[in-house]
Amino acid sequence: MSAQVISGTEISKQIQAELKDEVAQLKTRGVAPGLATILVGEDEASKVYVGQKLKTCDRLGITSFHHKLPPDTKEPDLLKLVDQLNKDPKVHGILCQLPLPKGLNADKILLAISPDKDVDGFHLLNMGKLLSKKNMKEIEEEKMYLPCTPHGIIQLLKRTNIPMSGAEAVVVGRSNIVGKPVALLLMAENATVTICHTGTRDMGEVTRRADILIAAIGKPKVITAEMVKDGVVVIDVGVNRLPEGLCGDVDFNAVKEKAKAITPVPGGVGPMTIAMLMVNTVKATRKLSGVK
Ligand code: GUN
């Protein structure tokens, strides 16, 4: 059996088509959604990611305000820019691309972004809201910003009709950006969630239990065919650069022979992260302008 390959590219296109109409409607009512992006330094991967975000804004009719800062930017200057963007009525969402160069404290910068403009969902207030909600209904009612990659993963599963309620979900990785928040969202979807990390004694023993396996490790091809059971659904969050090209955290060719469904790299989770950023930007525009 070979797995269904879940196209994040296609699902992201559907979401973008929905959003394009919403943006056009907002504009007819006198509100133009605006996203400010901040890129500090010369990290090559970050340049690519921010470039993709700006291109998507353009495609959807969202105004972007890009701020490119040198690698030796001092913390007070970055904080001053964030303060200006917090106050700018044309800016509804603010994104500071991570990682920041050495010497800049990401926690401090993220905390300075207004929680109402925090379209990445990284501000402690938004992270705390996510932690405090019990289910998706409560999360939706709160009209909060969900972190983009975890929210994109949930949308991939939903739009592929993968049942989450009652499923055994195993998350590999415990980062604040992916592992922890995706575990909370899967729990809110009523899955039984286990998180593996570098301290896990026998990772294969845990991952073989998974009906849904989320790989967010940041190392190439860690998840092998021996580590999954037949019929698993695998979501690969990894983007690793090897001499032969990009690859995920999953040994795709081997694991796809056992899986029911699997995301590719590239073309899986990546496009979904961008789509959910646009969702949050439109949400922020409605919230700040008061236009429903
Ligand atoms: N670095 C890796 N992923 C992300 C993301 O989703 N947002 C930002 N701002 N930086 C990142």
Side-chain angles (χ1 to χ4, degrees):
M1 190 184 74
S2 198
Q4 173 195 359
V5 178
I6 303 173
S7 172
T9 307
E10 283 308 310
I11 296 172
S12 154
K13 274 188 195 155
Q14 287 167 19
I15 295 171
Q16 288 183 43
E18 295 159 17
L19 282 174
K20 196 169 176 179
D21 291 342
E22 280 194 58
V23 171
Q25 275 171 23
L26 280 166
K27 284 182 169 173
T28 62
R29 304 177 70 181
V31 189
L35 174 68
T37 51
I38 306 172
L39 175 62
V40 189
E42 301 292 340
D43 184 87
E44 290 305 319
S46 291
K47 281 188 202 171
V48 173
Y49 296 144
V50 172
Q52 288 167 338
K53 290 169 186 177
L54 293 172
K55 221 185 268 173
T56 309
C57 279
D58 219 29
R59 219 179 300 127
L60 301 189
I62 295 173
T63 311
S64 57
F65 305 92
H66 182 50
H67 297 266
K68 188 178 181 323
L69 304 180
D72 58 352
T73 298
K74 298 285 173 279
E75 195 170 274
D77 295 324
L78 185 50
L79 288 169
K80 199 167 142 198
L81 172 61
V82 169
D83 185 51
Q84 280 167 8
L85 297 172
N86 281 341
K87 290 176 180 149
D88 186 341
K90 295 190 293 305
V91 171
H92 303 98
I94 303 171
L95 173 143
C96 181
Q97 189 66 30
L98 302 179
L100 289 171
K102 281 197 185 68
L104 290 170
N105 181 341
D107 289 345
K108 206 165 164 184
I109 307 302
L110 295 177
L111 208 52
I113 294 173
S114 161
D116 285 336
K117 296 191 177 188
D118 169 38
V119 286
D120 255 330
F122 291 167
H123 190 285
L124 289 184
L125 187 73
N126 287 317
M127 291 216 272
K129 279 185 183 174
L130 174 57
L131 189 67
S132 68
K133 301 294 160 198
K134 283 195 284 294
N135 52 45
M136 285 318 257
K137 185 165 170 277
E138 282 192 16
I139 287 172
E140 274 152 28
E141 279 167 6
E142 177 68 36
K143 300 201 185 325
M144 52 191 280
Y145 304 119
L146 294 176
C148 302
T149 301
H151 193 197
I153 292 168
I154 298 296
Q155 285 298 318
L156 272 183
L157 294 168
K158 277 198 173 152
R159 290 174 185 245
T160 321
N161 297 315
I162 309 285
M164 286 178 269
S165 184
E168 288 277 346
V170 175
V171 178
V172 188
R174 55 177 155 182
S175 70
N176 288 342
I177 292 184
V178 184
K180 281 191 243 177
V182 81
L184 291 171
L185 287 175
L186 286 162
M187 233 187 311
E189 291 285 0
N190 215 23
T192 301
V193 182
T194 309
I195 304 184
C196 296
H197 45 76
T198 44
T200 300
R201 240 179 311 157
D202 184 348
M203 189 129 79
E205 190 195 14
V206 183
T207 55
R208 273 189 293 275
R209 288 210 300 264
D211 301 312
I212 299 171
L213 180 64
I214 315 285
I217 304 152
K219 291 204 183 91
K221 302 183 189 180
V222 172
I223 304 295
T224 59
E226 298 70 49
M227 293 170 76
V228 302
K229 72 173 177 188
D230 282 323
V232 64
V233 173
V234 181
I235 305 291
D236 190 349
V237 187
V239 183
N240 306 292
R241 275 152 232 277
L242 294 181
E244 60 268 29
L246 288 186
C247 83
D249 294 347
V250 177
D251 184 356
F252 181 85
N253 286 329
V255 171
K256 86 172 191 308
E257 297 306 317
K258 285 178 93 177
K260 180 167 84 176
I262 185 167
T263 60
V265 177
V269 173
M272 293 302 292
T273 296
I274 297 177
M276 301 329 286
L277 173 67
M278 301 298 137
V279 166
N280 281 348
T281 304
V282 170
K283 202 183 232 183
T285 307
R286 292 191 195 285
K287 195 169 181 168
L288 291 164
S289 68
V291 173
K292 291 284 170 261

